[in-house]
Amino acid sequence: MARVTDIFVADAGSEPMRSVDHVEAVAGGLRGDRYCEGRGHYTPFDVCEVTLIAREDLERIDEELGPSLAAGEHRRNLVTEGVDLHDLLDHRFRVGEATLRGTRPRPPCAHVEELAEAEGVARALGDGRGGICAEVLDPGDITVGAEVVDLGSTDRTDDIVARLRSED
């Protein structure tokens, strides 16, 4: 079963991430998180409403890098296990009571490395290990342990082509 193993939020840009047991996904992000509140480091230039990263990738990073990023130094909101996050891009998926849509990969940045105070963090989060961004489609609570369920692609191309063929 794919699930959420950790949840992190930060009150404002550059503030330490703090671990929480639950969070409310609302239009614009996660209630109480810096980007939802308009206080993120990159607001308004590069905002991801919700960021996700795979526990499996964090474990590989820990092996390569030495210092652990498990306490939120990765600067991502939801840590998952049992799901390839890239499979959720352009898909709707449920996390707990909320429905999200994977919008794009989340590349690492120098700011993450600066805040982690560990050389190589940005490089370690590269190669597709930086997670993904998602937008909130339907609000709801997300708790540690919540199941992650892929609800299918948001790409309607196949549906449109099938409909056009049936009209011929």
Side-chain angles (χ1 to χ4, degrees), residues 4 6 14 30 62 72 74 97 119 136-137 153:
V4 173
D6 296 288
S14 304
L30 301 179
D62 289 351
H74 45 72
E97 297 174 357
E119 191 172 320
V136 177
L137 298 178
S153 176

Side-chain angles (χ1 to χ4, degrees), residues 27 76 129 150:
R76 306 302 187 254
R129 294 181 293 212
D150 187 346

